[in-house]
Amino acid sequence: MDVIIENLPLYWEGLLRTLFLSVVSGIIALVLGTFLAAARVSPVAALRGFSTVYVEVLRNTPLTIAFFFAAIVLPRLGVTFEQFEVAAIIALSAYTSAFIAEAVRSGVNSVPVGQAEAARSIGMKFGQVLSLIILPQALRTVIPPMINILIALVKNSSVAGAFFVLELFGYGRQMANANGDQVMAVLLGVAFFYLLLTVPLGILASTVERKVAIAR
Amino acid sequence: MFARFSLMTTQVPGDSLVSLKAVNKHYGQLHVLKDINLNVRKGEVVVVIGPSGSGKSTLCRAINRLETIDDGKIAIDGKELPEEGKELAKLRADVGMVFQSFNLFAHKTILENVTLGPIKVKGMSKGQADKDAMALLERVGVGHQAPKLPAQLSGGQQQRVAIARALAMKPKVMLFDEPTSALDPEMINEVLDVMIQLAKEGMTMVVVTHEMGFARKAADRVVFMADGQIVEDSTPEEFFTNPQSNRAKDFLSKLLTH
């Protein structure tokens, strides 16, 4: 276990970078996913079609493919970036947004249809009905699945370690290579630091869920 | 002589606030609205009654296009209902709707339920909207509930808030789709009283209901529907004492025996 103590600064650095990747990708995914869900229920057929195809493709292909695309294909198409972190954020947020979109959509479907009818009948336009009435109620009901998706996002960010991005898992690999005799301890340390991020998320989920519940 | 005179006034264009011409609607095989013609004049209270499944709710919901129709024409204050979009939203702002299941916005307070339309749709300032809303809530007797959430109110209170929410838009006409059907018996009257008051004040109303007492007290006209058709269209007096069709006679006799 000495190897963990000795490498605490590296673990800490990895934790912060994983946190950074997760927070930035998480925020982008939440916003993008909500827009995708809105597009999915919009009266415009083209938006519905785009959203459906996007969600189905990203939800049903491995995350690694999204990473390959962002890190290797995009630069060949002329989209270049200084750091691989950007590619990682693109891949993670694109991938995660598909799941967020599905969660939000299920939330939208859980809001009684009378809510939208009442909003329409006082003269609200589609965008207002969605943003003022439907989404605020939908988002509250989908907080638990949403947090599950964000927990998955934190863990998925480890794939970035394989694409030249140094985060918790990336540092873990470095440490394992440097301490070949203590791989087990190194990896246990990595797992522990992931838990430091994901367990509080789960606790946050149940707290928020209790706070925002809507009585009907 | 008088009869002819009144017949002529009903035909003056512009006088009718809601007009349905040859409206038809199908749900798959089911023909729910059959060639419906109906004119509601300004200030008139029209009560639509009839057995379940007669199409009366569909008729009510079609008037602000919550239900689309297959053919025919529906016009509000001379303007034909447009396709879904900005124009329709504008027109709906002028048509108040009260639902069987209240449909108050569950995540908003009672006050916010009433102010949301004026602020977001009409662009009214929050201060003015709050003031107007409080006056409306007082009027329907739930002023002291303003900061609560809908789920904390009884059904009767919720429905009165729903009426206030619709009135806040200063609608030209109010549609009531079975407003008391989901209420416990002791709460029905508090809602009907508000509606009777509205009728007395000259609001144009289309009311789908099973409350015959309300029809007698407040209606200018009773429209009786059965099987998707308007079977009778007369004064309450005439309808309740001297129904013309067998369908209406049958319907009324069932009401009286229970």
Side-chain angles (χ1 to χ4, degrees):
Chain A
M1 288 296 154
D2 290 347
V3 67
I4 300 178
I5 311 288
E6 280 161 22
N7 289 300
L8 267 185
L10 275 186
Y11 275 118
W12 184 247
E13 182 67 21
L15 182 85
L16 289 182
R17 294 206 179 189
T18 290
L19 188 63
F20 171 76
L21 278 183
S22 304
V23 167
V24 174
S25 310
I27 290 170
I28 297 174
L30 282 172
V31 173
L32 188 59
T34 305
F35 273 108
L36 285 166
R40 188 75 178 263
V41 297
S42 90
V44 183
L47 284 178
R48 281 202 304 274
F50 169 78
S51 172
T52 309
V53 171
Y54 178 97
V55 168
E56 291 308 322
V57 167
L58 277 133
R59 195 163 64 121
N60 295 311
T61 49
L63 175 60
T64 329
I65 302 230
F67 265 95
F68 265 114
F69 200 87
I72 293 158
V73 181
L74 276 188
R76 294 205 181 168
L77 294 174
V79 187
T80 53
F81 13 78
E82 301 282 304
Q83 294 155 319
F84 276 106
E85 266 90 351
V86 179
I89 287 169
I90 291 174
L92 283 170
S93 46
Y95 180 79
T96 308
S97 67
F99 291 87
I100 297 277
E102 279 302 280
V104 173
R105 187 168 72 100
S106 78
V108 166
N109 289 340
S110 77
V111 178
V113 66
Q115 294 284 311
E117 286 184 348
R120 284 155 73 199
S121 66
I122 57 171
M124 285 190 189
K125 293 172 217 136
F126 174 78
Q128 291 179 313
V129 176
L130 202 63
S131 62
L132 297 172
I133 305 300
I134 305 300
L135 282 180
Q137 296 186 51
L139 291 175
R140 291 172 208 214
T141 64
V142 296
I143 281 175
M146 206 85 108
I147 302 268
N148 276 341
I149 295 168
L150 294 179
I151 288 173
L153 166 64
V154 172
K155 299 186 291 173
N156 285 340
S157 68
S158 66
V159 175
F163 288 85
F164 325 113
V165 178
L166 276 178
E167 37 65 76
L168 190 49
F169 190 73
Y171 279 116
R173 280 206 317 181
Q174 269 190 1
M175 288 183 267
N177 287 338
N179 305 280
D181 51 339
Q182 296 179 77
V183 173
M184 196 65 127
V186 167
L187 288 181
L188 278 176
V190 169
F192 173 75
F193 278 92
Y194 270 109
L195 288 174
L196 276 188
L197 290 176
T198 50
V199 169
L201 261 180
I203 295 169
L204 179 75
S206 39
T207 316
V208 174
E209 190 184 353
R210 253 179 286 127
K211 274 215 171 130
V212 300
I214 322 168
R216 288 198 190 282
Chain B
M1 201 45 196
F2 281 114
R4 193 175 299 160
F5 180 72
S6 71
L7 197 72
M8 283 174 67
T9 53
T10 57
Q11 288 175 340
V12 172
D15 197 20
S16 96
L17 203 47
V18 178
S19 105
L20 289 85
K21 284 201 186 82
V23 170
N24 280 285
K25 179 177 177 71
H26 296 77
Y27 282 131
Q29 290 291 309
L30 192 66
H31 199 166
V32 279
L33 294 179
K34 294 178 188 159
D35 206 28
I36 299 287
N37 291 288
L38 183 69
N39 276 296
V40 181
R41 282 172 296 150
K42 201 163 184 286
E44 206 174 18
V45 176
V46 174
V47 168
V48 184
I49 59 178
S52 310
S54 59
K56 51 193 194 308
S57 271
T58 310
L59 171 75
C60 186
R61 291 163 53 83
I63 294 174
N64 68 354
R65 210 171 181 278
L66 287 179
E67 300 280 352
T68 55
I69 54 173
D70 299 341
D71 57 71
K73 279 183 182 167
I74 299 178
I76 308 283
D77 205 7
K79 261 181 251 159
E80 202 175 323
L81 289 184
E83 291 288 298
E84 200 73 42
K86 265 185 202 162
E87 283 304 304
L88 181 62
K90 220 178 195 173
L91 206 123
R92 276 186 183 137
D94 287 337
V95 181
M97 177 101 186
V98 176
F99 300 87
Q100 182 177 348
S101 49
F102 331 133
N103 296 344
L104 292 183
F105 306 131
H107 62 307
K108 299 275 184 196
T109 65
I110 296 307
L111 184 66
E112 287 167 341
N113 261 277
V114 182
T115 57
L116 201 61
I119 292 173
K120 298 292 179 182
V121 176
K122 291 198 155 171
M124 193 185 278
S125 74
K126 191 179 177 300
Q128 186 62 42
D130 281 355
K131 212 176 121 211
D132 292 0
M134 278 314 298
L136 279 169
L137 288 173
E138 295 293 349
R139 190 168 135 198
V140 298
V142 287
H144 55 295
Q145 313 280 12
K148 293 190 184 168
L149 286 169
Q152 296 171 281
L153 271 60
S154 73
Q157 291 171 330
Q158 288 193 49
Q159 194 61 301
R160 285 183 281 152
V161 173
I163 293 173
R165 173 175 69 182
L167 289 176
M169 296 303 290
K170 302 201 168 64
K172 293 174 180 163
V173 53
M174 289 277 285
L175 309 174
F176 293 82
D177 183 8
E178 302 201 23
T180 57
S181 298
L183 294 175
D184 293 337
E186 76 268 24
M187 289 171 187
I188 290 177
N189 278 333
E190 64 188 51
V191 172
L192 290 182
D193 287 345
V194 170
M195 291 168 61
I196 289 169
Q197 193 56 41
L198 258 185
K200 279 187 188 153
E201 287 163 14
M203 174 60 76
T204 310
M205 294 161 69
V206 176
V207 184
V208 174
T209 187
H210 295 291
E211 295 297 326
M212 300 305 144
F214 175 82
R216 279 178 204 272
K217 252 186 240 169
D220 295 310
R221 266 162 68 202
V222 170
V223 168
F224 176 73
M225 281 186 80
D227 304 320
Q229 280 172 311
I230 292 182
V231 181
E232 301 210 13
D233 183 346
S234 55
T235 64
E237 175 75 18
E238 217 169 81
F239 177 76
F240 288 111
T241 55
N242 187 23
Q244 300 300 305
S245 63
N246 286 334
R247 278 310 303 258
K249 281 177 193 162
D250 185 47
F251 178 76
L252 286 171
S253 73
K254 277 177 187 154
L255 285 178
L256 293 175
T257 52
H258 287 287

